[in-house]
Amino acid sequence: LVAEHMQLVAKRLLSDQPQRRIHLEATGRVASLAYTWKVPSFSVSGDDHGRVFSPIFRSGGDEWQLKLSKGGEVEGQLGIFLKCLNAVGGVTLEAYFTLKLHNQTPRKSVQKWAEHEFKHTAKPHMGWINEDWGWQKFIELEKLSAGFLVDDTLTVEVSIERRNE
C-alpha cells in the first residue's frame, strides 16, 4: 500500500513538473528520490556572490534545494550543495545522497556521495537556519568547458535516500 501511494505521488509530481525526472520508492523505512536540474545560461546566472539556486523539489513530505557556488566559496571552483528546507524545530533528517555533474561523454561525468544529518541550527546573530551540505571544490570552473556545459546549460543530478522516522 505504501509503495502504491509513493508511485501515485511520483506520477502526480511528474505530471505537475515535466522537466523533472522523479522516481520515488518505498522500501521499508527508506524513501528515495532522483532529481535532475538543468541550469540554462549558466555563464550569466547567479547572484552577486556567484550562487545559483534550484527550484524547490519534494520527496514525500520533504522539501530540498540545490545550490551552486561559482567561485564564491573557493575561487576557481564550482561548489555544489544540498539543503533540506523542512528540517525545522529540532527535527533531524538523516540522508545518504549522491551529486552528479553530467558530461556529454557519460564516463567523464563527476559524481560524489555523502551521508549527512540535515538539521535546523541556531547561529549567533543569524537566528535559525537550515544548513546545506556538499562540496566547495566539486570541480574546477575551467574544466566545465570540457563537455559539462552544453549550449551554456549545466546538468546536475541528485539522488537522495532518506531514512523515514
Side-chain angles (χ1 to χ4, degrees), residues 46-116:
D47 63 13
D48 292 342
H49 302 286
R51 298 174 303 193
V52 183
F53 297 92
S54 76
I56 295 169
F57 53 97
R58 295 179 184 190
S59 170
D62 299 325
E63 293 185 338
W64 302 88
Q65 188 173 42
L66 291 167
K67 176 182 84 174
L68 303 179
S69 177
K70 300 181 339 182
E73 306 280 336
V74 177
E75 190 173 333
Q77 297 286 327
L78 176 69
I80 305 179
F81 304 89
L82 177 66
K83 177 187 278 191
C84 183
L85 299 174
N86 63 317
V88 296
V91 173
T92 298
L93 302 174
E94 187 176 340
Y96 169 89
F97 66 96
T98 303
L99 292 172
K100 181 177 183 180
L101 188 59
H102 285 261
N103 189 296
Q104 63 186 3
T105 305
R107 63 180 170 75
K108 293 183 178 180
S109 295
V110 176
Q111 181 171 296
K112 298 183 181 188
W113 65 271
E115 188 167 354
H116 183 66

Side-chain angles (χ1 to χ4, degrees), residues 1 10 22 54-55 79 104 129 138 155:
L1 184 63
I22 298 176
S54 76
Q104 63 186 3
I129 62 167
F138 198 88
T155 303

